[in-house]
Amino acid sequence: MAGMKRRQVNRVVSDARFALNRGDFTFEAVIDINMRANPSMRKIRGAVDELVSAIEAVGWQCVGVQPFLASVEMQFVRAV
């Protein structure tokens, strides 16, 4: 795993799958960045790419990735 632990990815993917089965049209995932660990941008991008790929495999399409303070917000819509 590039930047996130498997347990964290599985939890977010499980939430995405639940939202899809519930009939939601949008889904938002947020990952927090531990700034004390001084992560490189490469690791942050790797974690974001990994999470986006895992959520898109469930049936969502990523429409936005935005940094927000010490976190990254990702917006998804239901894939057609």
Side-chain angles (χ1 to χ4, degrees):
M1 305 294 299
M4 297 184 68
K5 295 179 182 171
R6 174 68 63 191
R7 183 180 75 245
Q8 293 169 325
V9 172
N10 287 343
R11 183 176 28 215
V12 176
V13 170
S14 175
D15 291 344
R17 188 174 289 120
F18 182 75
L20 188 73
N21 292 337
R22 188 174 51 209
D24 293 354
F25 292 106
T26 62
F27 178 73
E28 182 172 299
V30 178
I31 57 171
D32 295 323
I33 301 168
N34 182 2
M35 297 309 286
R36 287 187 227 155
N38 198 17
S40 66
M41 285 304 295
R42 177 180 283 165
K43 282 192 173 186
I44 294 171
R45 277 190 238 115
V48 169
D49 289 343
E50 176 182 0
L51 194 57
V52 167
S53 296
I55 292 174
E56 285 182 338
V58 173
W60 295 97
Q61 181 178 1
C62 183
V63 294
V65 177
Q66 300 176 357
F68 180 74
L69 297 176
S71 62
V72 178
E73 296 178 350
M74 294 158 276
Q75 294 84 27
F76 297 88
V77 294
R78 186 182 284 268
V80 183

